[in-house]
Amino acid sequence: MRTRKVNMIISLVTIMGGMALVVACGQRNATTVIEGDAAEQVYIAPGEYDEFYAFLSGGFSGQITVYGLPSGRLLREVPVFSQYPENGYGYSEESKPMFNTSYGFVPWDDSHHIELSQQNGEFDGRWLFVNGNNTPRIARVDLSTFETVEILEIPDVAGLHCAPFITENSEYLVSGTRFSIPIPQKDVPIDTYKENFKGLINYVSLDQDHGTMELAFQIEMPGFNYDLARNGKAVSHGWSFLTTYNSEQAHSLLEVNASQKDKDLMAIINWKKAEEYVAAGKFTERPTSYYHNLMDESTGIAHSQEMKMTRILKPEDCPEMVYFIPVPKSPHGCDVDPSGEYIVGNGKLSADMSVYSFSKIMKAIEEKNFDGEIEGIPVINYDAGLHGILQKPGLGPLHTEFDERGNAYTTFFISSEVVKWNVDNLEILDREATFYSPGHLVIPGGETRKPEGKYLVAMNKITKDRYLPTGPELAHSAQLFDISGDKMKLLLDFPTKGEPHYAQAIRADKVKPNSKKFYNIEENAHPYATLGESKTKVVREGDEVHVYMTAMRSHLAPDNIEGFKVGDKVFFHVTNLEQDWDVPHGFAIQGATNAELLVMPGQTKTLLWEPKKVGVYAFYCTDFCSALHQEMSGYARVSAKGADVPLKWGLNETLRENQEQAEKFYEQLENKSK
Ligand SMILES: [Cu+2]
């Protein structure tokens, strides 16, 4: 994928051979253009907080990272689609079901687009959604805990790149298939693409109180590649806009064969109309299989459910629901300005950018100003929907975000720059070099009705000479610009994890007050929770052994266990009894073939250990929790498969063989310490 970047540049440049190549800024050293007060603008004094949270997707890492702005400091990595040995996500028994899919357990994905929940077109700071490209999925992260709490697979699509774009009151997440495929899947020759391959545009509804996702309906579309989307806002609320490429329906050497036509298409969906059709029963139910994985809040255990049916709406049965309008060649971003009136649809291989007017599109629909149709979908006359053309803004336009002053900011991949322009009069106002080849950019709230146009972060695909070399691979870079004045000003480079594909940034006040400090132990409903040291025990059920363990500064209880046998499946259920902020305990045992566990205060987590060799094995707390953290350890004795060593456990005294003895012991211990 990373080598492809270079090929992509080469081929784009080749294809654009005929166009005037304004070679950018590429190797210009930015230190010469940074002004002296830049350091001051990004400096957050020790103990002070940043003004914004920025959530960056990790691309091929499958995760998301949280940065503070303007400092560019990494605050946290939140595991989403990939196993994360650092805290046991995807390894603990509680979190494993998050990776269940119709293909089985899939512990990796390619996370691309972050969408924060909105109300009235403004971020509300409750949830964050992100897509998994490869095994099509959408995840929800709870912004009170910064944990992934739900993953929904999307059936019958391939490469869920075009996702998960949110509507202005968080009614729906809209997504589209990047690759069309046979629907339902079947064994057909690839060169039957035109007859057999179809696309789907998917609407996932959100529960307004809990954020829970549900696949509401899917719209069957021609077999194109659906690339990116945004939903309408304010005047255009109720509509979705999705760019498509490969309207040629090529299935090989797409870089040439999917770039034949002068124009591709933007799909325009009236989702309120689609809702009416669903209510009127105009859908067909199609058997399929997809998984819905949801974390239960009270137990902290994820559960999977296989879903077996989907509702399909077909444009030919549902008039006035779907339209197309031509867009410049090979479009990528599809961005709606804060007023909801203007839609920017730019082609990567076009010298100009098209800006559409929502009211003109509506008028064209009303007047049936169409240039034919494609598979029953009317194609709106290009000129009739156009607000205007931004002439020669740069090379390879990708994505646009907005400020609250009527300006748009677009990244140009090939000419490596960000260009600021006025949405209304289409005048170019400023351009600044980026280092190098930016993909997405983000302005806090820059795709909502309420942008905060103070900072802009460009996420660059190529780093080259920006940091000390670290071998062939360098961390991708993000670059922070001050956009509060007339001219943009580069302030800071900061390295990122994975590919920082897209990000959203939100004012810290909207998230910080709701951030959970610990889980209330009294609300812990985990079936293997141990709510006090006196309740610790070890229970054998055939070859399965359950250890009800507690962690408290600075010991694990029990800390001596005997009677395990080779071939057992030992489940360590560790409950962190702390009720204090930032005191996780960890758990690791020698010979475990998975990862450690990190258990947050008040939570219970489970690690499976399958002892393979006779001996005495150490276990310990992995998260430095107190001055006596090094003492927070214990031993597990493993005997031969048929041995008659009884199960015994304890802490500080003789080992106990049954729960009655154990409880008595702890009672005495408690009385002594009073
Ligand atoms: Cu500890």
Side-chain angles (χ1 to χ4, degrees):
M1 156 141 205
R2 278 153 283 177
T3 52
R4 263 188 25 215
K5 288 182 298 203
V6 176
N7 292 338
M8 184 180 162
I9 300 165
I10 294 166
S11 50
L12 279 173
V13 170
T14 314
I15 290 163
M16 300 180 76
M19 295 171 52
L21 263 185
V22 187
V23 175
C25 40
Q27 305 298 319
R28 182 155 57 104
N29 187 342
T31 52
T32 56
V33 297
I34 291 187
E35 288 168 30
D37 61 352
E40 210 170 284
Q41 280 183 261
V42 301
Y43 180 70
I44 301 294
E48 298 285 311
Y49 291 149
D50 276 292
E51 194 178 347
F52 297 96
Y53 285 98
F55 298 94
L56 278 63
S57 73
F60 44 76
S61 84
Q63 320 291 45
I64 61 170
T65 45
V66 187
Y67 287 81
L69 293 183
S71 73
R73 296 184 295 187
L74 173 65
L75 305 177
R76 205 174 147 200
E77 180 164 18
V78 179
V80 181
F81 292 115
S82 299
Q83 281 178 308
Y84 195 58
E86 184 177 314
N87 69 2
Y89 176 78
Y91 294 97
S92 71
E93 295 304 301
E94 289 77 8
S95 58
K96 275 181 188 169
M98 289 306 257
F99 293 137
N100 287 338
T101 74
S102 60
Y103 301 90
F105 182 81
V106 182
W108 170 85
D109 219 305
D110 184 14
S111 61
H112 270 212
H113 303 111
I114 305 271
E115 287 281 289
L116 294 166
S117 53
Q118 296 186 18
Q119 282 303 324
N120 302 315
E122 227 179 306
F123 293 149
D124 62 13
R126 293 198 290 174
W127 305 296
L128 173 160
F129 300 89
V130 61
N131 61 322
N133 237 332
N134 185 52
T135 304
R137 289 176 278 183
I138 298 174
R140 178 167 59 95
V141 173
D142 184 328
L143 291 182
S144 68
T145 57
F146 285 59
E147 286 190 14
T148 303
V149 292
E150 187 177 7
I151 295 183
L152 176 70
E153 189 180 359
I154 307 294
D156 307 317
V157 296
L160 195 70
H161 177 268
C162 179
F165 300 98
I166 201 158
T167 56
E168 70 174 12
N169 299 304
S170 302
E171 296 98 335
Y172 290 102
L173 299 171
V174 179
S175 62
T177 194
R178 174 171 166 203
F179 310 112
S180 284
I181 50 170
I183 304 177
Q185 273 291 13
K186 56 189 166 191
D187 176 12
V188 293
I190 298 167
D191 66 8
T192 63
Y193 187 109
K194 284 185 182 164
E195 303 101 84
N196 282 320
F197 289 41
K198 286 279 179 194
L200 284 174
I201 292 173
N202 321 291
Y203 282 78
V204 168
S205 61
L206 298 175
D207 179 278
Q208 294 295 302
D209 297 323
H210 301 98
T212 322
M213 297 182 276
E214 188 185 340
L215 181 60
F217 56 89
Q218 297 179 288
I219 300 176
E220 193 172 279
M221 296 289 289
F224 304 156
N225 297 35
Y226 297 84
D227 195 26
L228 279 162
R230 286 292 186 201
N231 289 292
K233 47 180 86 102
V235 291
S236 52
H237 180 61
W239 293 77
S240 306
F241 308 92
L242 299 91
T243 46
T244 76
Y245 63 102
N246 194 19
S247 50
E248 294 85 353
Q249 297 187 275
H251 54 82
S252 181
L253 196 64
L254 261 59
E255 66 171 340
V256 176
N257 296 329
S259 309
Q260 298 298 307
K261 295 186 187 164
D262 181 47
K263 293 248 182 338
D264 280 294
L265 298 159
M266 182 194 292
I268 301 174
I269 315 262
N270 182 344
W271 60 256
K272 295 239 168 168
K273 200 86 184 166
E275 276 183 334
E276 287 170 23
Y277 286 126
V278 171
K282 284 273 187 180
F283 54 86
T284 48
E285 284 199 314
R286 187 152 66 201
T288 187
S289 169
Y290 64 101
Y291 274 70
H292 184 205
N293 310 321
L294 186 62
M295 183 67 77
D296 180 304
E297 257 175 65
S298 62
T299 60
I301 299 175
H303 295 280
S304 296
Q305 192 183 359
E306 187 189 4
M307 314 298 283
K308 293 185 171 167
M309 200 63 86
T310 174
R311 295 162 164 178
I312 305 289
L313 291 175
K314 296 191 178 182
E316 70 248 39
D317 305 334
C318 304
E320 297 173 21
M321 179 178 72
V322 185
Y323 301 91
F324 280 129
I325 192 165
V327 282
K329 198 168 182 156
S330 297
H332 198 49
C334 182
D335 298 294
V336 182
D337 89 313
S339 73
E341 168 63 13
Y342 300 113
I343 304 127
V344 182
N346 38 270
K348 300 191 292 276
L349 301 183
S350 165
D352 304 320
M353 286 169 62
S354 299
V355 182
Y356 300 86
S357 150
F358 178 73
S359 48
K360 285 187 178 177
I361 288 173
M362 289 301 106
K363 189 160 174 274
I365 290 173
E366 207 175 292
E367 292 170 355
K368 296 197 171 8
N369 191 349
F370 302 139
D371 289 338
E373 53 175 52
I374 296 171
E375 297 186 27
I377 300 169
V379 180
I380 300 166
N381 176 277
Y382 171 72
D383 294 310
L386 201 62
H387 161 58
I389 288 176
L390 190 67
Q391 308 278 355
K392 296 197 170 40
L395 291 181
L398 292 187
H399 302 283
T400 301
E401 294 227 342
F402 305 88
D403 68 17
E404 64 278 36
R405 302 175 290 272
N407 302 309
Y409 301 78
T410 302
T411 46
F412 290 84
F413 183 84
I414 297 174
S415 51
S416 277
E417 58 188 331
V418 177
V419 174
K420 174 182 176 180
W421 50 280
N422 181 283
V423 180
D424 192 38
N425 66 21
L426 303 172
E427 193 186 317
I428 291 171
L429 302 170
D430 189 25
R431 56 180 71 238
E432 270 297 318
T434 58
F435 304 86
Y436 307 94
S437 300
H440 277 273
L441 76 173
V442 62
I443 291 167
E447 66 101 0
T448 70
R449 284 168 71 171
K450 293 274 165 60
E452 296 196 60
K454 188 169 178 183
Y455 300 112
L456 178 158
V457 178
M459 284 153 277
N460 306 322
K461 307 292 181 192
I462 293 168
T463 302
K464 293 284 187 198
D465 54 359
R466 302 300 292 177
Y467 314 130
L468 283 175
T470 53
E473 188 182 18
L474 292 111
H476 288 210
S477 85
Q479 291 190 299
L480 180 78
F481 293 83
D482 173 357
I483 57 164
S484 58
D486 288 343
K487 296 287 171 193
M488 297 180 279
K489 196 167 76 173
L490 179 59
L491 299 177
L492 181 73
D493 276 18
F494 59 95
T496 61
K497 300 198 83 172
E499 182 207 2
H501 191 89
Y502 178 51
Q504 288 202 330
I506 179 171
R507 184 159 283 283
D509 309 345
K510 287 194 172 175
V511 174
K512 184 165 79 73
N514 308 323
S515 199
K516 206 180 189 76
K517 292 194 163 65
F518 54 84
Y519 293 87
N520 187 342
I521 189 95
E522 276 151 32
E523 290 166 10
N524 181 334
H526 192 295
Y528 291 95
T530 310
L531 304 179
E533 282 188 1
S534 65
K535 305 284 192 303
T536 55
K537 61 184 173 183
V538 183
V539 178
R540 176 178 285 284
E541 294 161 8
D543 288 344
E544 280 192 9
V545 184
H546 294 271
V547 181
Y548 293 71
M549 183 177 269
T550 59
M552 183 85 182
R553 281 166 288 183
S554 297
H555 58 267
L556 294 158
D559 68 355
N560 280 202
I561 309 170
E562 298 190 349
F564 295 128
K565 289 168 198 165
V566 171
D568 280 348
K569 277 181 185 296
V570 180
F571 295 91
F572 287 97
H573 308 286
V574 183
T575 300
N576 180 347
L577 296 176
E578 308 278 356
Q579 291 288 274
D580 193 1
W581 192 19
D582 197 23
V583 193
H585 286 295
F587 179 82
I589 184 162
Q590 186 179 354
T593 53
N594 35 35
E596 66 150 345
L597 285 181
L598 267 196
V599 192
M600 296 305 126
Q603 271 198 321
T604 303
K605 292 218 171 122
T606 304
L607 196 73
L608 172 62
W609 179 55
E610 296 176 88
K612 296 196 170 58
K613 292 190 282 189
V614 165
V616 178
Y617 298 96
F619 54 81
Y620 66 100
C621 171
T622 47
D623 192 334
F624 209 111
C625 53
S626 71
L628 295 174
H629 164 74
Q630 283 301 85
E631 282 74 7
M632 195 163 174
S633 63
Y635 287 111
R637 176 181 165 191
V638 176
S639 305
K641 200 169 176 67
D644 56 2
V645 178
L647 203 57
K648 289 190 195 177
W649 66 95
L651 172 76
N652 194 25
E653 277 248 350
T654 337
L655 302 188
R656 315 287 141 178
E657 285 188 46
N658 63 55
Q659 190 54 21
E660 205 181 314
Q661 283 179 4
E663 281 184 22
K664 239 182 237 162
F665 162 73
Y666 282 107
E667 250 169 54
Q668 285 163 3
L669 197 69
E670 255 171 51
N671 290 338
K672 238 187 265 173
S673 65
K674 266 176 198 165

